[in-house]
Amino acid sequence: MRKFFSAVMALVMTLVSFGGFTQVQAQEGQTFEIGVAIYQYNDNFMTLYREELGNYFAELAEADGNTYNVDFQDGQNNQATQTEQLNNFIAQGKDLIIANLVDPTGAEQVILSAQSADIPVIFINREPDIATMELWPGKTTYVGVDARQSGVFQGEIIADLDNNGDINGDGVVSYLMIMGDAGNVDAEQRTQYSVETLEKTIETASLGEHQRGNWDQARGQEIAANALSQYGEELEVIFSNNDGMALGAVQAIDGAGRVVNEDIYIVGVDALPEVVELITNGAFTGTVLNDHFNQARTAAEVGVRLLNGEEVAPYFWHDYVKVTSAEEAELKRLDFNEETIEEYQQRLEETYGSAE
């Protein structure tokens, strides 16, 4: 609940320059209670995101004189657990909810419950469907990246290799796909667009069914080890929906006596520091920067707008970045692309041939 240190300190919202990036300053001297629901702490990328979000709210507090009490909760990848946490946020009268949902299909109920308590909602990292974002316009938004783009970039990294990923020269890239959890939009789109993009350059063949690693490094290692044992040198490329699972796959590759970038290629998503180091050492083919730094900072700045009573656009986007060198993974503040639902649908239609 909002507590005023002094009525005299209440100021109209102003724009300030902070670190070279224009941001919103809240009314000075207030305390805001913010509930942040993370789908699970045991996720390399969301750990970086969570830490950046907390740190940046602290920076904003120093800059604008307000207090942002940020209550982080671990959903433990369990929808029932997270639902209870979100209900508690509403019962406690939080001023803002930031939700990284276990199951994005539950976004509708989150919005309706928050709307009844007049608590604005920012969804992060896991995108709800478009229809859901129409339920409470101005007070509900998504801050993130377009997962289709990450898949496209993965496919391009392999396609741009001298041999297009075709190590044995038979004109076909034989690959293994390690996916995130079932029903996850990012997992589905990275899987689809990575292969479709590579197929614009060369024919591909999946070795067996796509495997669910559920974003887990140990599962990534297990899946890759089984595939390497079963298919041997026939396996040329491993696509992983994230870097965490890809790190597990690298362990399996090493254990099988294979050498990345010599007799097998691997691509991931997130540009985790461990993966960037492997790229620098020539032990990882490429990844795609899922920019936790900019996403977290934009989520916080949009949150400040909502805390000030502003209405905001339904979408705030950052771009993924192809990473095949350490320099490409360097973090720096970048602007976002703000879109209405209609603009988003038009872009999807023009870029991917579908508004879904």
Side-chain angles (χ1 to χ4, degrees), residues 196-329:
E196 286 186 1
T197 299
L198 181 56
E199 285 181 339
K200 293 177 181 178
T201 300
I202 191 170
E203 185 180 344
T204 71
S206 176
L207 296 177
E209 298 292 326
H210 296 172
Q211 299 293 310
R212 296 277 180 193
N214 296 324
W215 312 112
D216 182 70
Q217 182 169 336
R219 281 288 294 141
Q221 180 178 12
E222 179 184 352
I223 290 167
N226 289 339
L228 287 161
S229 175
Q230 180 175 358
Y231 300 108
E233 293 183 0
E234 188 180 354
L235 176 56
E236 297 171 299
V237 172
I238 296 178
F239 287 104
S240 176
N241 282 175
N242 80 339
D243 280 352
M245 297 184 296
L247 286 170
V250 168
Q251 293 174 305
I253 290 168
D254 292 342
R258 303 283 293 274
V259 181
V260 173
N261 291 336
E262 291 186 15
D263 58 19
I264 193 168
Y265 299 112
I266 183 166
V267 287
V269 176
D270 286 337
L272 296 177
E274 307 96 302
V275 168
V276 174
E277 183 177 355
L278 288 173
I279 290 173
T280 300
N281 295 331
F284 201 97
T285 308
T287 184
V288 182
L289 174 62
N290 190 3
D291 191 347
H292 70 276
F293 177 82
N294 277 292
Q295 290 176 66
R297 288 181 171 236
T298 296
E301 291 174 4
V302 173
V304 172
R305 294 187 187 184
L306 288 166
L307 290 168
N308 277 285
E310 266 197 80
E311 292 195 348
V312 299
Y315 293 103
F316 292 83
W317 301 104
H318 283 282
D319 284 327
Y320 284 98
V321 179
K322 277 190 286 189
V323 176
T324 56
S325 68
E327 292 74 23
E328 292 168 329

Side-chain angles (χ1 to χ4, degrees), residues 32-49:
F32 297 101
E33 305 294 336
I34 302 167
V36 181
I38 303 297
Y39 94 99
Q40 70 170 346
Y41 281 9
N42 186 29
D43 179 295
N44 313 64
F45 172 75
M46 286 313 302
T47 296
L48 294 173
Y49 195 123

Side-chain angles (χ1 to χ4, degrees), residues 16 21 38 48 65 85 103 111 139 210 308 317 322 345:
V16 297
F21 185 82
I38 303 297
L48 294 173
Q85 293 165 350
D103 181 5
I111 292 171
K139 298 299 182 181
H210 296 172
N308 277 285
W317 301 104
K322 277 190 286 189
Q345 290 176 315

